[in-house]
Amino acid sequence: MNAYGELASLCLLAARTETLKKLVFSRPVDGDITKASGVLCRVGGKIVLQIETLHSDHKATHENLPIDRNTENLLAARFPRFSQINLLTTGGDCELRRTKKGAELLLGADKLRRRLSDTADTEVVEIGGNDKEKKRILSGSEPFLALLGVADKNGRIYDKKQAKFRQINRFLELIADILPSLPEGRIRILDLCCGKSYLSFAVYHYFANVLHREVSMTGVDLKADVIDYCQDVAEKLGFDGLEFLWGNVARFETEDKPDLVISLHACDTATDLVLERAVTFDAKVILATPCCHHELNHTLNCPTLDFIGRHSMLRQKFCDAATDALRLLWLEAHGYSVAALELIDPDDTPKNIMLRAIRRANPDAAAQELALAEYRATRRFLLGEEPQE
């Protein structure tokens, strides 16, 4: 075994015995690299050798190498890129040095191997890591999660509901971000096309039980059986400020104007109904996550885009993005500042775009007119409509 292989073997031994303090790469041969180092790190519940490489453009790259035979080979192949490498462990150190004549010298290797092989004579290092437990707003023990079938009575999230739990928490995080745009004290909230109302209960709990605010909240949906179920759950929980009403969102009226309107996965044009009602009610903040997007897919009539439209999958993806972009333009035209945000990892659900609209305190009439003109022109372009006189 040559010097590179011997050092790689020692590195792997130090990693396996958790005695590796630091691996330092110096005097790089490659001009793109200034220096590199490696430490043990815990990632995904497993210990890895994390290599940080600093480049000449001042950028850093990180690589997490598993503690296995393949990593030993990778290290042995990486070592020739440096003229000096130091392995620092709790049992001692060794150094690989390349001489001016090109010879590789490994100093202290035999002594270090003996020390590391006798685990009773070495101390393990404290291993840090990237496994920081994410601080979520909900812990899983909230009673409404058990009643909705997301968690058991002990607060353990059911395996099949993990994605839903992450989705709910992420939605609450996005609400926390817009709190400065909402009034202090009592708050009025609408959940339009609320469905089974996971979000209604989570949002009500957040404002009433976490922030200790007075809440008046209404969920509206066309499914009478779902509304009855949700109302029953709200009563069991003692959520006195939360009510559920059966009805068509397009015709829903409320004298108590909402501060916040939310909607999760209202199907196709139902999202447009939600946005229209929210704007009509002059809501301060709108958070809507659309579901399916069929209307534009059926009505797209733009020869310029035929190179996309002739491919059904690409046509649908384009129509999804274009539909949501049009919605944001329409909201801008009505005095809102807007953004499209990622709600949750697309691996959990492809329906992961949230449309956020915050009503401007002093809307710019000229900017609104410009946004409206752009909205109308874009619709004409996509739908093949003739410009109105």
Side-chain angles (χ1 to χ4, degrees):
M1 184 182 295
N2 63 21
Y4 296 127
E6 177 68 15
L7 179 59
S9 175
L10 276 171
C11 288
L12 195 63
L13 176 59
R16 283 174 172 162
T17 56
E18 299 182 18
T19 57
L20 189 152
K21 293 163 60 178
K22 196 168 188 179
L23 181 62
V24 181
F25 302 82
S26 307
R27 298 167 56 199
V29 176
D30 188 344
D32 176 57
I33 298 173
T34 58
K35 61 180 178 178
S37 62
V39 295
L40 294 181
C41 187
R42 200 178 302 275
V43 177
K46 295 181 179 180
I47 297 174
V48 300
L49 178 60
Q50 186 173 86
I51 305 293
E52 180 184 64
T53 303
L54 299 180
H55 300 270
S56 55
D57 59 1
H58 305 294
K59 293 182 179 179
T61 57
H62 294 83
E63 187 177 6
N64 294 324
L65 304 178
I67 310 304
D68 58 24
R69 181 71 182 179
N70 187 52
T71 291
E72 182 178 331
N73 297 331
L74 289 173
L75 288 173
R78 183 189 298 254
F79 289 157
R81 299 168 63 186
F82 300 86
S83 297
Q84 182 177 332
I85 303 164
N86 293 83
L87 173 61
L88 312 178
T89 79
T90 60
D93 308 331
C94 74
E95 179 181 296
L96 188 148
R97 187 183 304 163
R98 184 184 298 130
T99 67
K100 292 182 179 180
K101 294 183 178 181
E104 290 85 27
L105 300 178
L106 185 56
L107 308 175
D110 292 339
K111 181 179 179 180
L112 179 59
R113 184 175 291 279
R114 289 194 299 270
R115 292 289 301 275
L116 296 184
S117 297
D118 184 2
T119 55
D121 195 33
T122 56
E123 296 180 5
V124 298
V125 296
E126 183 177 346
I127 301 175
N130 298 333
D131 288 351
K132 296 179 180 178
E133 184 177 351
K134 185 172 179 62
K135 187 177 180 181
R136 292 191 167 105
I137 293 174
L138 302 179
S139 66
S141 61
E142 292 77 11
F144 76 88
L145 292 174
L147 284 178
L148 293 176
V150 177
D152 64 21
K153 62 181 181 180
N154 298 316
R156 187 187 74 82
I157 305 300
Y158 293 120
D159 292 342
K160 292 183 179 180
K161 294 296 184 179
Q162 291 287 343
K164 176 61 68 175
F165 182 64
R166 289 192 293 271
Q167 181 189 72
I168 295 170
N169 267 293
R170 175 60 177 155
F171 204 102
L172 294 184
E173 290 169 1
L174 292 170
I175 286 181
D177 290 341
I178 53 86
L179 286 178
S181 300
L182 295 172
E184 297 180 359
R186 181 183 182 278
I187 186 167
R188 172 68 171 149
I189 307 171
L190 297 181
D191 186 352
L192 302 181
C193 299
C194 61
K196 195 175 178 181
S197 303
Y198 294 102
L199 276 190
S200 298
F201 290 103
V203 171
Y204 182 89
H205 167 81
Y206 177 59
F207 279 100
N209 299 329
V210 177
L211 300 181
H212 305 291
R213 304 268 292 274
E214 181 185 351
V215 184
S216 170
M217 184 169 183
T218 302
V220 183
D221 199 274
L222 265 176
K223 297 178 182 177
D225 57 335
V226 172
I227 289 298
D228 290 341
Y229 166 80
C230 292
Q231 187 62 45
D232 181 60
V233 172
E235 291 172 2
K236 287 179 179 177
L237 291 166
F239 284 6
D240 297 333
L242 176 60
E243 65 174 355
F244 292 92
L245 301 177
W246 174 84
N248 189 333
V249 167
R251 294 192 290 272
F252 174 73
E253 298 289 347
T254 176
E255 294 182 1
D256 194 3
K257 300 300 183 182
D259 303 299
L260 172 64
V261 173
I262 64 172
S263 182
L264 178 67
H265 296 163
C267 189
D268 198 16
T269 56
T271 292
D272 299 295
L273 293 178
V274 169
L275 299 180
E276 188 275 330
R277 298 315 290 155
V279 169
T280 298
F281 296 145
D282 204 22
K284 294 179 177 64
V285 177
I286 307 167
L287 300 177
T289 301
C291 184
C292 47
H293 302 69
H294 297 312
E295 184 187 36
L296 183 58
N297 197 357
H298 295 154
T299 57
L300 182 65
N301 180 25
C302 179
T304 305
L305 298 175
D306 280 349
F307 74 103
I308 296 176
R310 69 171 63 103
H311 305 286
S312 59
M313 184 179 73
L314 298 180
R315 179 188 180 100
Q316 183 60 64
K317 287 181 177 294
F318 170 80
C319 289
D320 290 353
T323 297
D324 286 337
L326 277 171
R327 287 166 172 162
L328 293 177
L329 261 179
W330 185 82
L331 288 166
E332 280 189 291
H334 286 81
Y336 287 82
S337 62
V338 300
L341 308 171
E342 184 176 77
L343 175 61
I344 194 171
D345 193 310
D347 287 342
D348 287 328
T349 173
K351 306 165 187 175
N352 68 330
I353 301 299
M354 171 185 280
L355 307 182
R356 184 184 71 189
I358 301 174
R359 193 181 68 196
R360 297 181 184 278
N362 298 296
D364 184 329
Q368 287 182 240
E369 285 295 327
L370 186 62
L372 183 60
E374 185 179 358
Y375 169 79
R376 290 170 174 168
T378 303
R379 278 189 58 88
R380 289 196 297 269
F381 172 72
L382 294 174
L383 303 180
E385 298 173 347
E386 293 295 328
Q388 296 179 353
E389 298 295 334

